[in-house]
Amino acid sequence: MYTDVAYRHQSHVPPNSPSQIPPDPLPAYHSSARNYRSSLRPHKVTRSVQPMQSTSDRLLKSSSSYGSRSYMAEHMLRRKTPNGTLAAGYDGRPIEWASRRPPSKHFLIPAPNTAEDAFCQHQAHYKESCQTYEGPPTLPWSIDQPAPYKYDHQRVDGHKQNRLSSDENWQSQVESNAKSAPIPGLDSVLYQDDPPDDLCPSFTSSDRNESQITNIQFKDQILFWAHRVYMSLLSSRQQARQTGSNVQHPSSRHPKDHAFQQVSPAKFPNTQDFSHRQSEDGLNLYQSTPVSYKDNSLIPSQSLVDNHLFDFDFHSHEALKPRNIISPYRSTTHLGKQMNHDSSPTIAAVEAIELLSRLAQQSDWKWTDGMLLGGCLAYGLGDYSKALNWYSKVLLCDSHNVEALSNLAATLLSLGRRQEAEEHWLRAVELRPSYFEAVEHLVGIYCEDHRGREAVSLIEFVERSLQEDDVKAKAFPGTEFSLQHRHIAPNSHKTHSVTGYSILSSENGRMLSLIHGKGNMLYALGDNAGAAKAFENAILIGSGQRHLGIRSLIGQILRVFARQRKGLSNNASDEPILLMPDDALETSKLVFPPYGNLPGLEDVPTNMARRAGISIVSNSLLSLAKIYQDGMSSSGATANGPRATSGVQEILALYYLSLSLQPSPSTANNVGILLAGVQQTSVSATRRGQPSVVQGLMPGVVPGSGIQLALAYYHYGLNLDSRHAHLYTNLGSLFKDVGQLSAAIKMYEKAVHCDGSFDIALANLANAVKDQGRISDAIDYYRRAVIANPEFAEAVCGLANALNSVCNWHGRGGVKILGPKRDRWHVDEKGMLYDGYASSPPGSGWIERVVAIVDKQLREGEGWGRGVLQSIQPESFVRQLRLSDSTSLANLIQTLRGWASEPWEGARVVRLIERATKRLGWQYYRNEHVDKRPNQTFDRTRPQLPAALAVPSAPTVLPFHTFTCPLSARQIRKISQRNGLRISCSTLRAAWLPRQIYGPPSPPNPHLNVGYVSSDFNNHPLAHLMQSIFGLHDNGRVRAICYATTASDGSVHRQQIEREAPTFHDASAWSIDRLVDRIVDDGVHILVNLNGYTRGAKNEVFAARPAPVQMSFMGFAGTLGAEWCDYLLADKIAIPPQTLRPVRQNVDLVDQTMDGNNNDDDHAQWIYGENIIFTRDTFFCCDHRQSAPDAREPELSWAEEQKRRWRMRKELFPSLPDDAIILGNFNQLYKIEPTTFRTWLRILSRTPKAVLWLLRFPDLGETNLRETAMSWVGAEVASRVIFTDVAPKHQHISRARICDLFLDTPECNAHTTAADVLWSGTPLLTFPRNAEGDRARQDLIVDSDEGYEERAVELATDLIYPNDEGKGLGRLMELRKLLYTSRWTSALFDTRRWVRDLEEAYEVAWKRWVAGEGGDIWL
């Protein structure tokens, strides 16, 4: 009933093991992917581009705090295919702030040349597995309990050192000091956590020389030892947390004088709980973690960083495993003793504090290095009061010490003094905008408080402050920032001019991370344009091309590919470049030869930091490509969203580069989604001779085609991550698109196996098994999807549809807004009836939820394209429409200005373009064939959609299912209009659509060429009804050309159509553009759509406008609501005049601006905007006179017919009493709703001899209807509801005569079934709820539910069978005789008459088109 969600999907799936968790390139930002609740739990794409947060409830709650974007907008991850709406699995769906532990910055040694180590040290455990990082737009995590950063060691040998001194200088200084004044036990200091007894026995021995204590060399050595103690302390805390043991906290010996605050960090799937644990004395055992980073003067040796003193990741959720500490500083004159593994780090820390305190006192509290380290040790021990005291003393000595300010802020935050902490961090950033640790912590606070805008402003302030020009940045809103202390890197140190920021080139990664994080936040806030700009900036910093711009980089990629593919293909330069995954992986080497190294990261000193920077650049490329992809897909419904200028070509270039920098399953997923919609083939991919690994499952897949390449990328992604649920989901969607339903189900099952709560996979699996006839399984999967995500519209509507199809109405509720004639009787959770208009509903039911979803989606859709006219000049836009009348031109410009920024702005523009296209074709024909004017100078350029206008989404409820859903006329027409609009935009954006309009055919000579396009030229009701039509055409008037878009099923119906149609094309393997070209080449004057909005439709063919006149009938009994449908064939009963749109002209551009297709009148109850061809008798085509089972048999007399009917009744119902009256309905059970079934049961209750004959259509419906009947009317009446299996077509028509009275379903009347029943001679009682007409004198048509019940009871009780020969008496028998004897003369079954009327309709429609006339046609 509803959209098929075969996925978002660039979406996000949470990693299933620590090794699969994507790296976090920015300490203050979380850049991983999770399952789309999707994305596509949304991240869930496309949790198929990915978030890794498991606390989904928290994420969902926080989403409402950011902007107006609906993060769970159900259309965000869907793409439309002929089989319905598929979830495209886009990775990168916006998620909310992740609740991940912040990077704890409690580290001491400044290390300018290892800055990137600092920022990515927490990713050490990824190593090469960082390739699995997934990350299109995700959000910063919130901070938990940050630790102070480090002390800023500025003095060596008694002199103030440059803050940007190198690590080599620091190393040489330490070694020099050690050599010049060797101290006994120095090696012991360097290799153990306890100070040697002979060095400084607790500093209490009276014989200690005072000069040793004040010696600068000695202080440096003590600093280094104390720092090692600090590191060991942190390691022991972490190890204790891992093992769950309690470590006696030294400070527990001293009572605390402050409140201790614990903050619970996020919990991640399949990982250790990161909750802060306490020792028995209540102290936190895990307070902080060291993160190496760049500082000012005291710098550790490079080997210290590179060898990683501790092989663990303090920030990740992976299990942490400390190893033995082996110092790289071991002297060649090793005199010390081996490490004492039994020493207590906590005791050593206490001793270190005492030692540092004594030295600080002796310096008169001027020794800031030691004081900073003392504060860090106190913080590590959990003694926050003492830590505050240390940092405060530093600030008394130097109020501008940003390290002390930042450490103090972290300590205040741990004490719960959040506002004070924020103020100190603000002060630190104000003093030194390049102090990234303070910036990152402050951003973390803003994120945790859902202050995304402030976080963005902070980052922008840092950007402005560090710009290489001297423009003074203004303070960002809400702060008191100034630039009086603006920090600029000294000229004596290398800066990277390509970044445009006054920072060390080694710090490019830090700036890169901040800007990437800004992009994440802007994306979450709904600012796609701002996010795209930030991601572009991050990419350009990494690529070293910030001064050139993103278009330059994209152009460079395309030029490289152009050289590579030269001589292999004749593709146009603007066509997508199709590469197999192995080829795409070479992109970075081709763009940045010879090794693919990013120029902007060349000075980043360590592999770990460089990999982190590459990860961020790859992530930014992925994010930017995702935003561009959204801009051209159904999820990009905004008019001002960023778009790639060349569409797929540029997006693929970005994806290829991203994939080559960091192979990622999410990137592979997104590339697959993009390629699946590409029509062209790749010569280079074909020549590689690498058949798809699944080609055996995909008959007819063209080597090198977009589909084959998409399969290759999906499988490549699964090789990277075999449990990537979104890849399996999208692979299943692709299989489903090409008709491989069983293979699709297997893929969906794999996705669900990987993630049992992946809502999109569950909904897709439900759709697929439902198509396979497994309704019960489908309901189970839909329920699981709704439980996983109660707001997932596809799952909610899919579940409602599935329940309705088997008449499981428990909790259905009802809809009251339509008046008492529609959906009056509602059903509660227990399955009991209540009058929806006489009592208060017990609660909202699922059918009301469906209607609410529809209304919400339609309301949101009114704003689609708003602002598009602001992006273009109305004058230039109108100029391409080429109006010859200057007055009309001026009026149209004025009209466009009135449309600007109003609801339906985008829809009006699209309709105007389509009307102009149609009008240009008409003008060309008039010049050529009517006015005989030369067309050499006629401009056939096709009017183009504005670049800012993206493809809109379609509502979840499909047009076909509006027949059974209790919707208003406005909702019905809007659903069709939105679907038509989506098809129009996607077609007008198609790469295969030529730049010129299709030339019209030559005038009919002698006949009109009429093309019939259908997927149902097989064993299908449409073929049953129309199989003789194409051969019955008068070739002197009409030449029928059939285009079958599905392969032959070998049925007699297909064989007859192929045999009798003058021209028959099997177009089942054709692309859309090939089919369109064939129609144009065939010179089709009138093109007929025999599908409408039904499965298998190729409506894109009609949106391309290959024929002058286009119409629809038989396939879809409703409005198409599209500009590409000119006429519907109907009669005044099927389409009463009062359901027509008031404006009926539909010819020129002026008509279009006044037609009222899009207006603000919510009460307008018209449905049909198309012109109608009203037939003389009936629009309905029946072929029974030619093809019914008894059509070629000798006609029986009425008496013989009665005997045959009675004999068949005895064979089918041998135990039924002779006087029983058989009431029946042979429709699918989805057409039955509670009000109708209640009426049927009341009829049975009032007619004791009657039975109700229904079909097991499907089987599960029998059980539900029997149970419902038992609870509503009791066992006796329920026992008179009987079921039989569905019969083959010929048997179905034949046995329909057994029924005494067919009871039609009022909500959705019978069509083909009604024709079958009437041919059999059985009277049919109907109540068309949605139509009006003159029926007062007709026995079998009523106008109310009450009248329906009364007429059925009256007819049933009037019928009697006085004997066992079947010769009944009563009005029903009279009606039966009338129907049986007149069927050979009835206009309903006169197929030849119907064809003659149709040919007349074609001729009138063509003449009106040539004359430029519009309006309805009455035959």
Side-chain angles (χ1 to χ4, degrees), residues 835-847:
D835 189 341
Y837 291 87
S839 60
S840 299
S844 174
W846 45 259
I847 196 65

PDB file of all heavy atoms in Angstrom, residues 835-847:
ATOM      1  N   ASP A 835     -18.826   3.553  17.407  1.00  0.00           N
ATOM      2  CA  ASP A 835     -19.253   4.584  16.466  1.00  0.00           C
ATOM      3  C   ASP A 835     -18.357   5.802  16.637  1.00  0.00           C
ATOM      4  O   ASP A 835     -18.396   6.481  17.659  1.00  0.00           O
ATOM      5  CB  ASP A 835     -20.715   4.944  16.717  1.00  0.00           C
ATOM      6  CG  ASP A 835     -21.281   5.863  15.632  1.00  0.00           C
ATOM      7  OD1 ASP A 835     -20.481   6.489  14.910  1.00  0.00           O
ATOM      8  OD2 ASP A 835     -22.515   5.951  15.516  1.00  0.00           O
ATOM      9  N   GLY A 836     -17.560   6.084  15.618  1.00  0.00           N
ATOM     10  CA  GLY A 836     -16.624   7.184  15.719  1.00  0.00           C
ATOM     11  C   GLY A 836     -17.279   8.544  15.803  1.00  0.00           C
ATOM     12  O   GLY A 836     -16.626   9.520  16.162  1.00  0.00           O
ATOM     13  N   TYR A 837     -18.549   8.633  15.469  1.00  0.00           N
ATOM     14  CA  TYR A 837     -19.241   9.930  15.477  1.00  0.00           C
ATOM     15  C   TYR A 837     -20.224  10.054  16.620  1.00  0.00           C
ATOM     16  O   TYR A 837     -20.870  11.074  16.770  1.00  0.00           O
ATOM     17  CB  TYR A 837     -19.945  10.136  14.144  1.00  0.00           C
ATOM     18  CG  TYR A 837     -18.960  10.335  13.021  1.00  0.00           C
ATOM     19  CD1 TYR A 837     -18.431   9.243  12.347  1.00  0.00           C
ATOM     20  CD2 TYR A 837     -18.521  11.603  12.669  1.00  0.00           C
ATOM     21  CE1 TYR A 837     -17.501   9.416  11.339  1.00  0.00           C
ATOM     22  CE2 TYR A 837     -17.595  11.783  11.666  1.00  0.00           C
ATOM     23  CZ  TYR A 837     -17.089  10.683  10.997  1.00  0.00           C
ATOM     24  OH  TYR A 837     -16.149  10.854  10.008  1.00  0.00           O
ATOM     25  N   ALA A 838     -20.326   8.997  17.405  1.00  0.00           N
ATOM     26  CA  ALA A 838     -21.254   9.045  18.521  1.00  0.00           C
ATOM     27  C   ALA A 838     -20.553   8.951  19.863  1.00  0.00           C
ATOM     28  O   ALA A 838     -21.185   9.074  20.896  1.00  0.00           O
ATOM     29  CB  ALA A 838     -22.281   7.906  18.411  1.00  0.00           C
ATOM     30  N   SER A 839     -19.259   8.722  19.861  1.00  0.00           N
ATOM     31  CA  SER A 839     -18.535   8.580  21.112  1.00  0.00           C
ATOM     32  C   SER A 839     -17.122   9.103  20.951  1.00  0.00           C
ATOM     33  O   SER A 839     -16.623   9.248  19.842  1.00  0.00           O
ATOM     34  CB  SER A 839     -18.498   7.104  21.545  1.00  0.00           C
ATOM     35  OG  SER A 839     -17.859   6.311  20.549  1.00  0.00           O
ATOM     36  N   SER A 840     -16.519   9.354  22.075  1.00  0.00           N
ATOM     37  CA  SER A 840     -15.127   9.807  22.048  1.00  0.00           C
ATOM     38  C   SER A 840     -14.221   8.606  21.780  1.00  0.00           C
ATOM     39  O   SER A 840     -14.404   7.548  22.375  1.00  0.00           O
ATOM     40  CB  SER A 840     -14.751  10.446  23.390  1.00  0.00           C
ATOM     41  OG  SER A 840     -15.563  11.579  23.641  1.00  0.00           O
ATOM     42  N   PRO A 841     -13.258   8.762  20.877  1.00  0.00           N
ATOM     43  CA  PRO A 841     -12.377   7.629  20.577  1.00  0.00           C
ATOM     44  C   PRO A 841     -11.546   7.249  21.787  1.00  0.00           C
ATOM     45  O   PRO A 841     -11.109   8.105  22.548  1.00  0.00           O
ATOM     46  CB  PRO A 841     -11.507   8.163  19.440  1.00  0.00           C
ATOM     47  CG  PRO A 841     -11.541   9.642  19.582  1.00  0.00           C
ATOM     48  CD  PRO A 841     -12.902   9.962  20.132  1.00  0.00           C
ATOM     49  N   PRO A 842     -11.337   5.951  22.026  1.00  0.00           N
ATOM     50  CA  PRO A 842     -10.548   5.511  23.180  1.00  0.00           C
ATOM     51  C   PRO A 842      -9.074   5.842  23.044  1.00  0.00           C
ATOM     52  O   PRO A 842      -8.339   5.813  24.011  1.00  0.00           O
ATOM     53  CB  PRO A 842     -10.765   3.996  23.185  1.00  0.00           C
ATOM     54  CG  PRO A 842     -11.087   3.651  21.767  1.00  0.00           C
ATOM     55  CD  PRO A 842     -11.843   4.830  21.226  1.00  0.00           C
ATOM     56  N   GLY A 843      -8.624   6.179  21.857  1.00  0.00           N
ATOM     57  CA  GLY A 843      -7.223   6.502  21.643  1.00  0.00           C
ATOM     58  C   GLY A 843      -6.926   6.572  20.161  1.00  0.00           C
ATOM     59  O   GLY A 843      -7.721   6.143  19.330  1.00  0.00           O
ATOM     60  N   SER A 844      -5.792   7.118  19.834  1.00  0.00           N
ATOM     61  CA  SER A 844      -5.419   7.249  18.436  1.00  0.00           C
ATOM     62  C   SER A 844      -5.056   5.897  17.866  1.00  0.00           C
ATOM     63  O   SER A 844      -4.262   5.159  18.431  1.00  0.00           O
ATOM     64  CB  SER A 844      -4.233   8.208  18.317  1.00  0.00           C
ATOM     65  OG  SER A 844      -3.766   8.261  16.993  1.00  0.00           O
ATOM     66  N   GLY A 845      -5.658   5.537  16.751  1.00  0.00           N
ATOM     67  CA  GLY A 845      -5.367   4.274  16.103  1.00  0.00           C
ATOM     68  C   GLY A 845      -4.351   4.427  15.002  1.00  0.00           C
ATOM     69  O   GLY A 845      -3.956   5.529  14.626  1.00  0.00           O
ATOM     70  N   TRP A 846      -3.925   3.279  14.427  1.00  0.00           N
ATOM     71  CA  TRP A 846      -2.861   3.354  13.437  1.00  0.00           C
ATOM     72  C   TRP A 846      -3.324   3.965  12.128  1.00  0.00           C
ATOM     73  O   TRP A 846      -2.527   4.552  11.406  1.00  0.00           O
ATOM     74  CB  TRP A 846      -2.192   1.997  13.217  1.00  0.00           C
ATOM     75  CG  TRP A 846      -3.042   0.773  13.078  1.00  0.00           C
ATOM     76  CD1 TRP A 846      -3.282  -0.159  14.039  1.00  0.00           C
ATOM     77  CD2 TRP A 846      -3.721   0.308  11.895  1.00  0.00           C
ATOM     78  NE1 TRP A 846      -4.066  -1.171  13.540  1.00  0.00           N
ATOM     79  CE2 TRP A 846      -4.351  -0.921  12.225  1.00  0.00           C
ATOM     80  CE3 TRP A 846      -3.855   0.792  10.601  1.00  0.00           C
ATOM     81  CZ2 TRP A 846      -5.098  -1.649  11.309  1.00  0.00           C
ATOM     82  CZ3 TRP A 846      -4.606   0.069   9.684  1.00  0.00           C
ATOM     83  CH2 TRP A 846      -5.216  -1.134  10.043  1.00  0.00           C
ATOM     84  N   ILE A 847      -4.588   3.878  11.785  1.00  0.00           N
ATOM     85  CA  ILE A 847      -5.031   4.504  10.537  1.00  0.00           C
ATOM     86  C   ILE A 847      -5.001   6.021  10.677  1.00  0.00           C
ATOM     87  O   ILE A 847      -4.705   6.746   9.719  1.00  0.00           O
ATOM     88  CB  ILE A 847      -6.440   4.014  10.129  1.00  0.00           C
ATOM     89  CG1 ILE A 847      -6.699   4.357   8.657  1.00  0.00           C
ATOM     90  CG2 ILE A 847      -7.508   4.605  11.020  1.00  0.00           C
ATOM     91  CD1 ILE A 847      -5.799   3.653   7.698  1.00  0.00           C
TER      92      ILE A 847
END
